[in-house]
Amino acid sequence: MILVGRYLSPFVRRVGVSLALTGLKFERLVLSTAADREKILKITPIGRVPALILGKGRNAEVLVDSTAMLDHIDEKAGRRALTPGKGAARRRVNSIVFLALGTAEKAIAAAYEKSRRPPEKVHQPWLEHLESQATGGLEALNAIKAKPYLAGAKLTQADVTTAVVFGYLKRGAPHLVPEGRYKRLEAHSKKMEKLPAFKACQPEQP
Ligand SMILES: N[C@@H](CCC(=O)N[C@@H](CS)C(=O)NCC(=O)O)C(=O)O
């Protein structure tokens, strides 16, 4: 398996951390969407990361979208899967995962609004709308009391995605997560970042 993309992306990092936690072997192809666009387009038609290449040569398959990759990883991991297979436990984990993912998507859209448009084309009310949606997600995530993990007794994908997204915002959009505002998320993130799997997937220098 080859994971394409940099750990600066929360979508790439959650896949890398999940592979490390489940003990599945993988290689990396560290390509940047800014500098290596042509190379990425040869692997995946939308030009986004992550991509996950399964197999080799003519039998190679490419998965796009981190959610599809995590689905494959869970299938391969068997009893070490990070999302429960069914029922209320699965819904609970997924509801937290998609809250964290939605938060990341809105924060990224807000960041693109500022970085990808000429300043005179930034529509301030839309930017504020996007940031308020990200803040709504953060408040809901911060309201969850870990017991000791976000979805209960076991570490799950809810913990991985939430901590990866929070770390991403701390680095990329610190104004959305000022020190002390999201105390539970800060504690959760600190605990997760100490795990060897998180340490093994450190975001590269921009
Ligand atoms: N839903 C996708 C989102 C992937 C995504 O948006 N990746 C960003 C990096 S953080 C990207 O490649 N952006 C470049 C672009 O869209 O041009 C996933 O979960 O994999």
Side-chain angles (χ1 to χ4, degrees), residues 159-191:
D159 301 291
V160 174
T161 298
T162 302
V164 165
V165 166
F166 194 70
Y168 168 79
L169 295 177
K170 276 278 174 198
R171 284 185 301 278
H175 65 292
L176 290 178
V177 283
E179 205 62 36
R181 182 175 297 173
Y182 300 109
K183 288 206 168 63
R184 287 201 189 107
L185 287 176
E186 272 163 21
H188 175 70
S189 169
K190 211 167 156 189
K191 179 164 96 179

Coordinates of all heavy atoms in Angstrom, one line a residue, residues 159-191:
D159 N -11.6 9.3 17.8 CA -10.5 9.9 18.5 C -9.4 10.4 17.5 O -8.9 11.5 17.6 CB -9.9 8.9 19.5 CG -10.9 8.5 20.5 OD1 -11.3 9.3 21.4 OD2 -11.3 7.3 20.5
V160 N -9.2 9.5 16.5 CA -8.1 9.8 15.5 C -8.5 11.1 14.7 O -7.8 12.1 14.7 CB -7.9 8.6 14.5 CG1 -6.9 9.0 13.4 CG2 -7.5 7.4 15.3
T161 N -9.7 11.1 14.1 CA -10.1 12.2 13.2 C -10.2 13.5 14.0 O -9.8 14.5 13.6 CB -11.4 11.8 12.5 OG1 -11.1 10.7 11.7 CG2 -11.8 13.0 11.6
T162 N -10.8 13.4 15.2 CA -11.0 14.6 16.0 C -9.6 15.2 16.4 O -9.4 16.4 16.2 CB -11.8 14.3 17.3 OG1 -13.1 13.8 16.9 CG2 -12.0 15.6 18.1
A163 N -8.7 14.4 16.8 CA -7.4 14.9 17.2 C -6.6 15.4 16.0 O -5.9 16.5 16.1 CB -6.6 13.9 17.9
V164 N -6.7 14.7 14.9 CA -6.0 15.2 13.7 C -6.6 16.6 13.2 O -5.8 17.5 12.9 CB -6.1 14.1 12.6 CG1 -5.7 14.7 11.2 CG2 -5.2 12.9 12.9
V165 N -7.9 16.7 13.2 CA -8.5 17.9 12.8 C -8.1 19.1 13.8 O -7.8 20.2 13.3 CB -10.0 17.8 12.7 CG1 -10.7 19.1 12.6 CG2 -10.4 16.9 11.5
F166 N -8.1 18.8 15.1 CA -7.8 19.8 16.0 C -6.4 20.3 15.8 O -6.1 21.5 15.8 CB -8.1 19.3 17.5 CG -8.1 20.5 18.5 CD1 -9.1 21.4 18.5 CD2 -7.0 20.6 19.4 CE1 -9.1 22.4 19.4 CE2 -7.0 21.6 20.3 CZ -8.1 22.6 20.3
G167 N -5.5 19.3 15.7 CA -4.0 19.7 15.5 C -3.9 20.5 14.2 O -3.1 21.5 14.2
Y168 N -4.6 20.1 13.2 CA -4.5 20.9 11.9 C -5.0 22.3 12.1 O -4.3 23.3 11.6 CB -5.4 20.2 10.9 CG -5.7 21.0 9.6 CD1 -4.7 21.0 8.6 CD2 -6.8 21.7 9.4 CE1 -4.9 21.8 7.5 CE2 -7.0 22.5 8.3 CZ -6.1 22.5 7.4 OH -6.3 23.3 6.2
L169 N -6.1 22.5 12.8 CA -6.5 23.9 13.1 C -5.6 24.7 13.9 O -5.4 25.9 13.7 CB -7.9 23.9 13.7 CG -9.0 23.3 12.8 CD1 -10.4 23.2 13.6 CD2 -9.2 24.1 11.5
K170 N -5.0 24.0 14.9 CA -4.0 24.7 15.8 C -2.9 25.3 14.9 O -2.4 26.4 15.2 CB -3.4 23.7 16.8 CG -4.3 23.6 18.0 CD -4.0 24.7 19.0 CE -5.0 24.8 20.2 NZ -5.0 26.0 20.9
R171 N -2.4 24.5 13.9 CA -1.3 24.9 13.1 C -1.8 25.9 12.0 O -1.1 26.9 11.7 CB -0.6 23.7 12.4 CG 0.2 22.9 13.3 CD 1.0 21.8 12.5 NE 0.0 20.9 11.9 CZ -0.6 19.9 12.5 NH1 -0.3 19.7 13.8 NH2 -1.5 19.2 11.9
G172 N -2.9 25.6 11.3 CA -3.3 26.3 10.1 C -4.3 27.4 10.3 O -4.4 28.3 9.5
A173 N -5.1 27.4 11.4 CA -6.1 28.4 11.6 C -6.3 28.7 13.1 O -7.3 28.5 13.7 CB -7.5 27.9 11.0
P174 N -5.1 29.1 13.7 CA -5.1 29.3 15.2 C -6.2 30.2 15.7 O -6.6 30.1 16.8 CB -3.7 29.8 15.5 CG -3.1 30.1 14.2 CD -3.8 29.4 13.1
H175 N -6.6 31.2 14.9 CA -7.6 32.1 15.3 C -9.0 31.4 15.6 O -9.8 32.0 16.3 CB -7.8 33.3 14.3 CG -8.4 32.8 13.0 ND1 -7.6 32.0 12.1 CD2 -9.6 33.0 12.4 CE1 -8.4 31.7 11.1 NE2 -9.5 32.3 11.2
L176 N -9.2 30.3 15.0 CA -10.4 29.5 15.2 C -10.4 28.7 16.5 O -11.4 28.3 17.0 CB -10.7 28.6 14.1 CG -11.1 29.2 12.7 CD1 -11.4 28.1 11.7 CD2 -12.4 30.1 12.9
V177 N -9.2 28.4 17.0 CA -9.0 27.6 18.2 C -8.1 28.3 19.3 O -7.1 27.7 19.6 CB -8.5 26.2 17.8 CG1 -9.6 25.3 17.3 CG2 -7.3 26.3 16.9
P178 N -8.5 29.5 19.7 CA -7.6 30.1 20.7 C -7.4 29.3 21.9 O -8.3 28.6 22.4 CB -8.3 31.4 21.0 CG -9.7 31.3 20.5 CD -9.7 30.2 19.5
E179 N -6.2 29.4 22.5 CA -5.8 28.7 23.7 C -6.9 28.8 24.8 O -7.3 30.0 25.0 CB -4.5 29.3 24.2 CG -3.6 28.4 25.0 CD -3.2 27.1 24.3 OE1 -2.9 27.2 23.1 OE2 -3.1 26.1 25.0
G180 N -7.3 27.7 25.3 CA -8.2 27.8 26.5 C -9.7 27.8 26.1 O -10.5 27.5 27.0
R181 N -10.0 28.0 24.8 CA -11.5 28.0 24.5 C -12.1 26.6 24.4 O -13.2 26.4 24.8 CB -11.7 28.7 23.2 CG -13.2 28.8 22.8 CD -13.6 29.6 21.6 NE -13.2 31.0 21.7 CZ -13.3 31.8 20.7 NH1 -13.7 31.4 19.5 NH2 -13.0 33.1 20.9
Y182 N -11.3 25.6 23.9 CA -11.8 24.2 23.8 C -11.0 23.3 24.6 O -10.1 22.5 24.1 CB -11.7 23.8 22.3 CG -12.5 24.7 21.4 CD1 -11.9 25.6 20.5 CD2 -13.9 24.7 21.4 CE1 -12.7 26.5 19.7 CE2 -14.7 25.6 20.6 CZ -14.1 26.4 19.8 OH -14.8 27.3 19.0
K183 N -11.2 23.4 26.0 CA -10.4 22.7 26.9 C -10.4 21.2 26.7 O -9.4 20.5 26.8 CB -10.8 23.1 28.3 CG -10.4 24.5 28.7 CD -10.2 24.6 30.2 CE -9.6 25.9 30.6 NZ -10.4 27.1 30.3
R184 N -11.6 20.6 26.5 CA -11.7 19.2 26.3 C -10.9 18.7 25.1 O -10.2 17.7 25.1 CB -13.1 18.7 26.3 CG -13.8 18.8 27.6 CD -15.0 17.8 27.6 NE -15.8 18.1 28.8 CZ -17.0 18.7 28.9 NH1 -17.5 19.2 27.8 NH2 -17.6 18.9 30.0
L185 N -11.1 19.5 24.0 CA -10.4 19.1 22.8 C -8.9 19.2 22.9 O -8.1 18.5 22.4 CB -10.9 20.0 21.6 CG -12.3 19.7 21.1 CD1 -12.7 20.7 20.0 CD2 -12.3 18.2 20.6
E186 N -8.5 20.3 23.7 CA -7.0 20.4 23.9 C -6.5 19.2 24.7 O -5.4 18.7 24.3 CB -6.7 21.7 24.7 CG -6.6 22.9 23.8 CD -6.7 24.2 24.5 OE1 -6.6 24.3 25.8 OE2 -7.0 25.2 23.8
A187 N -7.2 18.8 25.7 CA -6.7 17.6 26.5 C -6.7 16.4 25.7 O -5.8 15.6 25.7 CB -7.7 17.4 27.7
H188 N -7.8 16.2 24.8 CA -7.9 15.0 24.0 C -6.7 15.0 23.0 O -6.0 13.9 22.8 CB -9.2 15.0 23.2 CG -9.3 13.9 22.3 ND1 -9.4 12.6 22.6 CD2 -9.3 13.9 20.9 CE1 -9.5 11.8 21.6 NE2 -9.4 12.6 20.5
S189 N -6.5 16.1 22.4 CA -5.4 16.2 21.4 C -4.0 15.9 22.0 O -3.2 15.2 21.4 CB -5.5 17.6 20.8 OG -4.4 17.9 20.0
K190 N -3.8 16.5 23.2 CA -2.5 16.2 23.9 C -2.3 14.7 24.1 O -1.2 14.2 23.9 CB -2.6 17.0 25.2 CG -1.2 17.5 25.7 CD -1.4 18.5 26.8 CE -0.2 18.5 27.7 NZ -0.5 19.3 28.9
K191 N -3.4 14.1 24.6 CA -3.3 12.6 24.9 C -3.0 11.8 23.6 O -2.1 11.0 23.6 CB -4.6 12.2 25.5 CG -4.7 10.7 25.8 CD -5.9 10.4 26.7 CE -7.1 10.0 26.0 NZ -8.2 9.7 26.9

